[in-house]
Amino acid sequence: MNMNFSELDVSRRTRKGNFLKQIDQLIDWAPIEKAIARHYAPASDAVGRPAYPGLLLFKMLLTGIWHGGLSDEAVEDMANSNLHVMRFLGLYLEDDVPDHSVLSRFRTRLTAAGAWDGLLTIINEQIQTHGIMVTQGCHVDASITHSQRKPKIKPFYEVVNDREDRDDEADAQAAMRVIEVTQPGVDTEARWVKKSGKSVFGYKQHTVVDDNGLVMAVETTAANCHDSKPLLTLLDKAGIEPGTRVHADKAYCSQKHRDALKSRGIKNGIQDKAVKNKPLTRRQLQRNSLITKVRYVVERTFGSQTRWFGSKVLRYCGNASAHAWHILQAMAYNLRRTLHGQSQFQVRLMI
């Protein structure tokens, strides 16, 4: 294939073992590009110029996460100045780089279309072709993502005036309700929750991982949602098959979940929880200890995402945008772990 001078110059100046180049060689981007095109395939931009390919914008989002969870503006700057990033994006020195507003609109478009979960599935299918993901067991947990759009002052309320001439109307009671006044700039879909004695405002990232800690599925809720509530939805989304053992801490322990796992043919690896006047037996305590030793992988996943990507702080507003951020991190994490840990990943025996 012929190579122009700018492409030759970029190739000459980039290290062969660079992380982004290795990712490019690991992944077949064609099915991902096809999936993106179902939701984002504009022929031109707002001023009539040819639109940027969706795959290019998707790669830019991943690049921003791999470099510490950069803002869209910082990603644009990096694509203009970093030769490794330029080569990964398929750009030449003379090419225009999409600006941050294009990147933001692309993310918004795919978020509105609910496309992110499907892209994670495609990424994971590709990882499976390398023999990395395992299906003998899975681990479930939740982590809080902090919203920067929290209320600065205590919420205040207004009372809708009671009008006696409407007392006989069906909606009169609703019209007299007390409502919370929305504060400008506050994320109205995020919620407060107590964590380690401190109040936190944001969302919860409910995640199921395989035995290697690779993310299989994610659900996003407001932070005040109990950890265990999305469990069955998560298992269904991840396609957990009968015979698989699900590990989780005692927050997920309930008769409802025991019955649901049994009906699905899924093995119960949820820690037991003591109830009033009924302490755990010695056998239950031993079982809990064994479960703790194997479910560390999901905590390692959350810890690595925090260290590598700055995942604890959300730049965006709304549950759907928070979910997009969680899924993008999951894809970035799975690809990084796959590339750097292929020789270390081993299938472990289940409890």
Side-chain angles (χ1 to χ4, degrees), residues 102-146:
V102 176
L103 203 55
S104 177
R105 288 195 295 272
F106 170 75
R107 184 194 299 103
T108 300
R109 178 81 66 87
L110 265 64
T111 298
W116 296 111
D117 291 284
L119 292 175
L120 174 61
T121 298
I122 296 173
I123 290 288
N124 286 346
E125 287 172 352
Q126 297 227 16
I127 292 174
Q128 284 179 324
T129 64
H130 295 276
I132 302 300
M133 297 195 79
V134 293
T135 56
Q136 284 83 349
C138 66
H139 313 265
V140 178
D141 206 349
S143 177
I144 296 176
T145 303
H146 301 240

Side-chain angles (χ1 to χ4, degrees), residues 64-85:
I65 294 176
W66 282 323
H67 287 83
L70 301 178
S71 66
D72 292 344
E73 292 85 351
V75 174
E76 179 188 348
D77 291 341
M78 178 171 285
N80 273 301
S81 60
N82 188 305
L83 293 179
H84 287 297
V85 171

Side-chain angles (χ1 to χ4, degrees), residues 15-249:
R15 181 166 48 84
K16 293 182 179 179
N18 174 261
F19 166 76
L20 293 177
K21 183 175 182 180
Q22 292 175 342
I23 287 289
D24 223 12
Q25 295 171 340
L26 178 74
I27 296 299
D28 175 11
W29 298 104
I32 299 170
E33 185 173 28
K34 183 178 179 181
I36 292 172
R38 289 198 290 267
H39 308 288
Y40 184 88
S44 61
D45 63 14
V47 295
R49 295 171 301 190
Y52 293 103
L55 181 61
L56 164 62
L57 301 175
F58 177 67
K59 284 185 171 184
M60 287 182 71
L61 291 179
L62 288 178
T63 299
I65 294 176
W66 282 323
H67 287 83
L70 301 178
S71 66
D72 292 344
E73 292 85 351
V75 174
E76 179 188 348
D77 291 341
M78 178 171 285
N80 273 301
S81 60
N82 188 305
L83 293 179
H84 287 297
V85 171
M86 192 178 299
R87 183 175 176 82
F88 175 67
L89 299 178
L91 295 173
Y92 303 148
L93 293 173
E94 67 270 18
D95 289 335
D96 291 330
V97 171
D99 66 33
H100 60 274
S101 63
V102 176
L103 203 55
S104 177
R105 288 195 295 272
F106 170 75
R107 184 194 299 103
T108 300
R109 178 81 66 87
L110 265 64
T111 298
W116 296 111
D117 291 284
L119 292 175
L120 174 61
T121 298
I122 296 173
I123 290 288
N124 286 346
E125 287 172 352
Q126 297 227 16
I127 292 174
Q128 284 179 324
T129 64
H130 295 276
I132 302 300
M133 297 195 79
V134 293
T135 56
Q136 284 83 349
C138 66
H139 313 265
V140 178
D141 206 349
S143 177
I144 296 176
T145 303
H146 301 240
S147 173
Q148 295 180 315
R149 308 282 184 88
K150 63 183 178 182
K152 305 300 182 184
I153 59 175
K154 290 183 178 180
F156 57 97
Y157 302 86
E158 67 179 18
V159 180
V160 178
N161 291 329
D162 181 9
R163 296 194 297 170
E164 292 183 0
D165 59 319
R166 291 185 56 188
D167 282 349
D168 59 344
E169 295 181 18
D171 61 346
Q173 185 175 359
M176 292 184 286
R177 68 191 184 280
V178 177
I179 61 174
E180 182 177 345
V181 178
T182 301
Q183 299 177 33
V186 171
D187 188 339
T188 58
E189 296 182 20
R191 292 293 182 270
W192 290 100
V193 68
K194 282 279 189 179
K195 184 70 174 180
S196 302
K198 296 182 179 180
S199 294
V200 179
F201 186 76
Y203 296 90
K204 268 187 184 174
Q205 174 187 355
H206 305 266
T207 301
V208 53
V209 306
D210 72 356
D211 273 349
N212 292 326
L214 298 181
V215 179
M216 303 172 73
V218 177
E219 279 288 298
T220 301
T221 67
N224 62 348
C225 177
H226 192 274
D227 288 5
S228 66
K229 190 173 182 180
L231 174 63
L232 301 181
T233 302
L234 264 179
L235 299 182
D236 291 340
K237 182 183 282 190
I240 302 302
E241 298 180 353
T244 305
R245 188 178 297 277
V246 174
H247 297 103
D249 63 31

